[in-house]
Amino acid sequence: MSSFERNAAGRLVPTEVNGRKSVPFAGVGGHRPTGRKAAPTIATCLDYPEDGDKRANSISEALKKVGLKDGMVISSHHHLRNGDLVANAVFDAAADMGVKDLMWFPSASFPVHANQLQHLESGVIHHIEGSMNGPLGAYCSEGKMRGLGVLRSHGGRWQAIQDGEVHIDVAVIAAPTADPFGNATGDRGPAGCGLLGFALADSIYADKVIIVTDNLVPFPCIPWQIQGNNVDVVVEVPSIGDPAKIVSGTTRVTQSPDRLRIAELAARFCADAGIMKPGFSFQAGAGGTTLAFALYLRDLMRSAGVTARFARGGSNQYMTAMLEEGLIDYILDGQTFDLEGVRSMHEDPRHINTSPFTSYNFHGKGNFASMVDVAVLGATEVDMNFNGNVVTHSDGRLLHGVGGWQNCLASKCAMLLVPSFRDRIPVIVDEVTTVCGPGELIDVVVTERGIAINPRRQDLLDAVAGSDLPIKPIEELKAELDRICGVPGKVEKTEDPVAVVKWVDGTIIDTVWRVG
Amino acid sequence: MNDMKIVAAVAGPTGDRPRSDLKVTYQPGSEALSIDVSSKVDYLYGEAINAAVKRVVESFNVETGELVVNDGGAVEWVILARVETCLRRAGFDGEGVLPEAAPNAGAVTSRDRLRRSRLYVPGNQPKLMQSAGLYGADGIILDLEDSVPPAEKDGARILVRNALIAMDWGSSERMVRVNQGSAGIADLEEIGSHNPHVVLLPKIEAPAQVKQAADCLEVAGRGYEIFLMPILESPLGIHRAFEIAAAEPSIVALTLGLEDLSAELGAPRTEEGVESFLARQTTVYAARAAGVQPIASVYSDIADEEGLAAYIVRERGLGFDGIGCIHPRQIPIVHRELTPTEAQVERAIRIVAAAREAEKRGLGAVALGSKMVDPPVVKQAFRTVDLAVSGGVLAADWDEVEK
């Protein structure tokens, strides 16, 4: 194994990951790659059918056509979430072909992808670079995966593709609607999922691109989100996903009194701190607490007569209702979380589909994330330095992907909405198990027991001085938890890395260790 | 192990690993006691959990058999309560191990405290108790009666005792609703010495029932005054409302339970409440006549905030001072609706100021301009000001500011 180095977050990180030299986190804004962006191999239209019909009969045939070989990188997207049938089918087909040592590069994985365990075991998949949770997270956490897992943010995934850190050999894009030329969209079809933004980089930068659809329409598929000009092969299958599971359970507003309280405190904070002002912008995700936040914010906006210029999704029925009511001018949407979101994106020109390029990309000439006035996020742990963890459980086990979480920290006010403890496990801790977000970017922590403002944000402290919100130092919250839960023991880490967490610029911010 | 009959026993919710709770099983045997503790938080609290279990085991002198603890992240006072319950059910006798007291466990209350909202929390669901103190309810009621199934009464009683010691009640008044009859007496004996502020007595139909509870609390409470709130839930109780309200000097409030009353009347509870009008009005008259607070029943549709607001306005109109809440989200609505309007507050302040001025000058009558203000109106004005302060629409130091 490679050697380790202590990075700017004070964490021990490997200097080499899966055979590539890696750069330790150098602090926020401390790393600036130079050179030219990566590019796919030069293609020639002469190699493609003049009639535009790129169809193959099966996923196997498509994989053969694009020349899948041992050791290649196959990417997939997660817009179909837990209803996705395609990523599994691709590796099942690869296994039948006898291909080995593939790297799977999904934009995220879901419980349905536990199917890949057999392929990790048999050697078809060498390792995964992407979020791992559930059974895959356990497999990786127990040190059973051959390579190191690499966890990247949505923006970081684009960055890695663009600066050549990851080269995709074959991108397989599940498309709810497509034509034989490869133009594809997510906003309609039986498995409609809204948009395909997470697959956009893959379609542009991969050497070979396969579209898999269950709703083939005659050319042209209008409008398209993925350009057929980047596509090699189109496969029609009976079904790409189970629509009932594409819309995940995360789009229900929480009924938990504690979480409702957290959401309400967060919304009131936005009002009292003056963040909620005419023309402001916000980002709220799909979790039950952040959904409730949007509802409380809506009520405060209504009574104050304030409208937002734009909201960044994960869109859902509540956000689209705000758009229709005129409380939001535009939704800039990264993924749709329910069928209402899909419908709205399809029908309402003010509901715009975006990609990690527009929203989060480190190698873009700016991006939307830093323009957002307030972003509300979850976390598994926050520490006394306001460092946040979103990928591991307090026992060190991989629990979630990074998603857009790190990217959203760039907003003018990044708020973590977290219960102070979960089943006796403190969320406010001395030191997070895994640093995913540096404390200097986490501005406010909202718990049911009070709101802690990062002392680095004197402006926010001043803005809410005199407010009747329960604002207290984070140390005070911690002391309260020590009394309620008891002082937790220290969890010993092993010395075997199983995964690394990348910062948005491609450096390594922390290591995930094998669980003991 | 003397002549006690020791049997197999289990305590805690069903299900293998209840969240924020635990399941404790005891199996008698002749071998030396084995203790098997597993917990989802053992990597953080393993030693603390083992130590807590052992303290209870030692206090109950358990030396043989098999004790299995399956913990889903319960805090210590819950662990202590569940283990104690299991051992008592198995037939062991001993002293319960009391948890460490919360910083505000010794909070005091007063007879005339505001009791606009009181939040019901089931007495056997520790997960719901953890944050009850955060919602700013005027009172929290840990319920041992209707929300606890008969087979769990003993366990809930121990849990509520520990909650009185270790739970964070915030600024809320500490209330417990006990059971009827002998179970109720056992409840009072268990909780009496742990500073319950107000004990709610269900289905009261005669002054003697209140008296019995008061006598029992006098012993269990070791001389501390514990206030009582009888609940009228039957036609007979309503019929004797005044006698009950005036039965004991420790009574501070009188309330009624409309669900049970409707059942006994054979008149289903309606939104308009015509069937219970007499009962509600009688409760208010009896309470006022006895000089205690009349408190209204709960509103059971937690999703209907407008319905709740209308209900409060109606009950307030009958003369009630407070409402029962079954979900924290009802509390702010109750407080809002029971908080006087700006115009009311302004008028009340002028009357209060005039009354103080009159007192200073030794005048018997209070005048506002050229108009005399009757004493009851003055009294009401003081109350309005108090409500405005508690409701957050008037600063507590309003009169300082004025000076």
Side-chain angles (χ1 to χ4, degrees):
Chain A
M1 199 60 235
S2 69
S3 58
F4 293 90
E5 199 175 314
R6 208 160 281 282
N7 69 10
R11 297 294 173 127
L12 211 54
V13 299
T15 52
E16 192 188 301
V17 173
N18 297 327
R20 282 182 76 102
K21 219 181 126 35
S22 56
V23 184
F25 176 63
V28 175
H31 179 63
R32 290 165 171 273
T34 52
R36 294 206 164 264
K37 285 177 186 167
T41 48
I42 293 175
T44 309
C45 64
L46 303 174
D47 296 333
Y48 295 85
E50 286 179 4
D51 65 1
D53 188 350
K54 302 176 186 170
R55 279 181 292 176
N57 287 317
S58 65
I59 290 176
S60 299
E61 193 184 311
L63 291 174
K64 280 179 196 135
K65 233 172 157 169
V66 299
L68 183 69
K69 290 201 301 279
D70 291 359
M72 280 190 161
V73 174
I74 298 185
S75 77
S76 64
H77 71 76
H78 74 278
H79 286 286
L80 301 176
R81 284 190 279 271
N82 206 32
D84 177 32
L85 298 174
V86 174
N88 290 343
V90 167
F91 286 93
D92 292 350
D96 288 343
M97 288 165 66
V99 180
K100 297 279 183 198
D101 297 335
L102 298 168
M103 192 267 265
W104 183 31
F105 186 51
S107 57
S109 74
F110 278 79
V112 67
H113 298 121
N115 174 73
Q116 318 295 42
L117 283 174
Q118 55 177 318
H119 302 312
L120 283 160
E121 281 287 307
S122 69
V124 173
I125 300 178
H126 181 270
H127 74 282
I128 300 169
E129 298 197 12
S131 78
M132 279 168 281
N133 38 35
L136 286 176
Y139 186 84
C140 177
S141 293
E142 286 157 18
K144 294 179 181 163
M145 200 161 77
R146 284 185 289 164
L148 283 185
V150 181
L151 305 177
R152 294 181 178 87
S153 60
H154 292 327
R157 190 173 180 273
W158 196 294
Q159 158 266 314
I161 295 170
Q162 252 191 353
D163 63 21
E165 187 187 307
V166 175
H167 177 74
I168 303 170
D169 295 299
V170 180
V172 182
I173 301 174
T177 296
D179 65 27
F181 184 65
N183 294 310
T185 183
D187 72 348
R188 58 196 186 273
C193 56
L195 69 161
L196 297 174
F198 292 126
L200 191 56
D202 308 46
S203 77
I204 300 169
Y205 291 90
D207 280 345
K208 302 289 179 183
V209 177
I210 299 171
I211 295 283
V212 181
T213 187
D214 57 5
N215 188 36
L216 194 73
V217 297
F219 177 89
C221 161
I222 302 275
W224 59 69
Q225 295 168 341
I226 299 291
Q227 286 189 314
N229 309 69
N230 288 318
V231 174
D232 293 80
V233 187
V234 176
V235 182
E236 194 178 7
V237 295
S239 172
I240 61 166
D242 177 352
K245 293 179 189 155
I246 293 170
V247 180
S248 56
T250 51
T251 55
R252 277 196 307 268
V253 177
T254 179
Q255 285 305 309
S256 146
D258 284 5
R259 294 185 188 223
L260 286 171
R261 175 175 161 83
I262 294 167
E264 186 181 8
L265 289 175
R268 283 175 51 204
F269 180 89
C270 292
D272 286 11
I275 294 168
M276 190 194 87
K277 58 178 189 293
F280 81 114
S281 55
F282 67 93
Q283 170 144 11
T289 310
T290 48
L291 287 181
F293 162 83
L295 293 184
Y296 284 114
L297 188 67
R298 176 197 68 192
D299 293 347
L300 292 170
M301 286 167 72
R302 268 187 198 147
S303 53
V306 166
T307 60
R309 178 61 179 165
F310 69 94
R312 291 257 316 119
S315 74
N316 54 60
Q317 56 176 317
Y318 308 105
M319 198 178 269
T320 58
M322 287 172 79
L323 180 73
E324 277 155 27
E325 192 183 327
L327 289 170
I328 304 172
D329 292 350
Y330 293 98
I331 296 175
L332 303 180
D333 200 356
Q335 54 182 320
T336 38
F337 285 121
D338 60 18
L339 293 173
E340 256 308 285
V342 177
R343 183 202 58 76
S344 167
M345 173 167 287
H346 184 51
E347 292 174 1
D348 196 326
R350 299 169 299 171
H351 186 158
I352 311 299
N353 82 75
T354 67
S355 72
F357 174 70
T358 57
S359 309
Y360 300 143
N361 183 25
F362 188 70
H363 297 318
K365 295 171 181 175
N367 62 52
F368 300 163
S370 62
M371 296 158 65
V372 175
D373 289 316
V374 59
V376 295
L377 304 158
T380 57
E381 296 173 320
V382 197
D383 69 22
M384 294 298 99
N385 283 316
F386 284 80
N387 294 314
N389 175 16
V390 75
V391 300
T392 50
H393 190 253
S394 54
D395 63 0
R397 199 170 291 269
L398 279 169
L399 201 67
H400 299 290
V402 179
W405 190 91
Q406 287 179 334
N407 309 112
C408 290
L409 298 182
S411 81
K412 292 172 201 167
C413 179
M415 300 174 72
L416 300 186
L417 276 51
V418 290
S420 61
F421 64 98
R422 302 179 171 101
D423 298 332
R424 202 181 182 178
I425 302 168
V427 171
I428 314 269
V429 295
D430 280 328
E431 207 176 314
V432 288
T433 305
T434 310
V435 178
C436 299
E440 62 193 285
L441 295 181
I442 293 167
D443 302 305
V444 182
V445 177
V446 185
T447 77
E448 78 285 6
R449 289 176 196 276
I451 301 173
I453 300 175
N454 193 327
R456 297 172 182 92
R457 291 300 302 269
Q458 190 59 45
D459 58 327
L460 289 174
L461 283 159
D462 293 344
V464 292
S467 153
D468 60 356
L469 289 167
I471 291 163
K472 42 181 102 162
I474 197 160
E475 292 79 9
E476 201 175 299
L477 281 174
K478 171 83 170 68
E480 237 175 277
L481 293 187
D482 284 348
R483 193 193 71 69
I484 295 169
C485 302
V487 178
K490 212 165 161 50
V491 181
E492 290 300 323
K493 287 178 179 173
T494 65
E495 290 174 356
D496 312 322
V498 294
V500 293
V501 181
K502 292 272 191 169
W503 179 236
V504 300
D505 58 6
T507 60
I508 301 185
I509 191 161
D510 208 349
T511 309
V512 179
W513 305 92
R514 183 176 59 77
V515 291
Chain B
M1 200 141 298
N2 53 52
D3 55 354
M4 282 186 295
K5 173 132 177 61
I6 301 299
V7 296
V10 60
T14 50
D16 276 347
R17 191 167 273 192
R19 293 193 60 185
S20 295
D21 208 328
L22 68 157
K23 189 171 169 179
V24 187
T25 315
Y26 177 76
Q27 195 63 45
S30 49
E31 305 271 307
L33 178 69
S34 76
I35 301 177
D36 174 17
V37 176
S38 65
S39 167
K40 72 180 271 190
V41 297
D42 56 3
Y43 63 98
L44 294 175
Y45 295 107
E47 281 176 30
I49 296 168
N50 270 298
V53 172
K54 286 212 176 92
R55 281 163 66 204
V56 185
V57 163
E58 279 162 18
S59 186
F60 280 76
N61 293 313
V62 185
E63 281 157 5
T64 59
E66 208 179 326
L67 187 72
V68 178
V69 174
N70 202 333
D71 169 54
V75 296
E76 186 157 291
W77 61 265
V78 178
I79 295 172
L80 294 172
R82 294 295 190 206
V83 176
E84 179 180 337
T85 302
C86 180
L87 295 182
R88 287 194 189 283
R89 285 177 181 176
F92 292 100
D93 202 7
E95 281 284 307
V97 176
L98 301 183
E100 195 180 322
N104 56 4
V108 294
T109 189
S110 62
R111 164 170 287 275
D112 292 328
R113 191 193 200 286
L114 273 180
R115 296 189 178 90
R116 295 166 302 178
S117 59
R118 60 181 200 284
L119 177 65
Y120 278 93
V121 180
N124 64 341
Q125 294 191 36
K127 191 170 169 56
L128 298 179
M129 296 180 190
Q130 296 291 359
S131 338
L134 298 174
Y135 297 98
D138 289 337
I140 298 167
I141 302 173
L142 295 188
D143 181 30
L144 292 170
E145 201 217 5
D146 284 352
S147 62
V148 179
E152 290 300 321
K153 297 289 186 195
D154 58 337
R157 185 178 293 143
I158 295 167
L159 208 50
V160 167
R161 177 200 70 199
N162 282 9
L164 280 165
I165 301 168
M167 185 178 110
D168 178 12
W169 292 70
S171 59
S172 304
E173 192 170 40
R174 302 151 59 88
M175 302 177 168
V176 179
R177 178 166 75 172
V178 297
N179 288 287
Q180 310 167 58
S182 60
I185 297 299
D187 292 340
L188 294 171
E189 285 168 351
E190 192 73 54
I191 64 158
S193 62
H194 300 290
N195 193 25
H197 289 154
V198 181
V199 171
L200 285 88
L201 305 170
K203 300 201 179 61
I204 295 298
E205 297 190 319
Q209 291 170 303
V210 184
K211 206 161 178 47
Q212 190 189 16
D215 291 346
C216 179
L217 278 175
E218 207 176 314
V219 178
R222 299 173 192 157
Y224 282 99
E225 185 174 35
I226 298 166
F227 295 132
L228 295 176
M229 190 189 302
I231 312 174
L232 310 176
E233 301 182 74
S234 64
L236 186 57
I238 297 294
H239 187 69
R240 290 182 178 151
F242 174 72
E243 290 168 68
I244 291 167
E248 276 294 318
S250 54
I251 295 175
V252 292
L254 183 69
T255 187
L256 75 170
L258 288 181
E259 300 297 344
D260 285 270
L261 185 64
S262 298
E264 282 213 25
L265 282 176
R269 196 174 169 187
T270 62
E271 190 76 19
E272 300 75 30
V274 177
E275 73 289 346
S276 63
F277 172 74
L278 181 74
R280 288 179 287 129
Q281 191 68 88
T282 302
T283 303
V284 174
Y285 272 75
R288 294 290 182 216
V292 303
Q293 297 168 342
I295 308 284
S297 189
V298 299
Y299 185 76
S300 41
D301 186 350
I302 58 168
D304 185 358
E305 298 190 352
E306 279 172 30
L308 171 64
Y311 173 76
I312 302 163
V313 169
R314 191 188 73 191
E315 298 304 282
R316 179 77 197 96
L318 287 179
F320 283 106
D321 285 347
I323 308 280
C325 300
I326 53 171
H327 192 281
R329 64 199 271 191
Q330 295 184 321
I331 296 165
I333 300 164
V334 170
H335 289 186
R336 183 187 76 210
E337 295 303 331
L338 292 179
T339 299
T341 63
E342 207 174 310
Q344 287 167 334
V345 175
E346 209 172 291
R347 184 176 148 76
I349 286 177
R350 280 192 287 134
I351 295 171
V352 168
R356 286 180 178 170
E357 185 64 24
E359 198 188 337
K360 213 160 68 187
R361 294 210 239 146
L363 298 174
V366 178
L368 210 55
S370 59
K371 244 175 115 184
M372 301 307 283
V373 183
D374 292 333
V377 177
V378 175
K379 197 175 167 193
Q380 184 59 42
F382 272 96
R383 180 144 191 87
T384 301
V385 167
D386 283 348
L387 276 171
V389 171
S390 325
V393 296
L394 185 63
D397 57 352
W398 63 273
D399 47 350
E400 307 284 325
V401 175
E402 214 158 76
K403 280 170 200 166

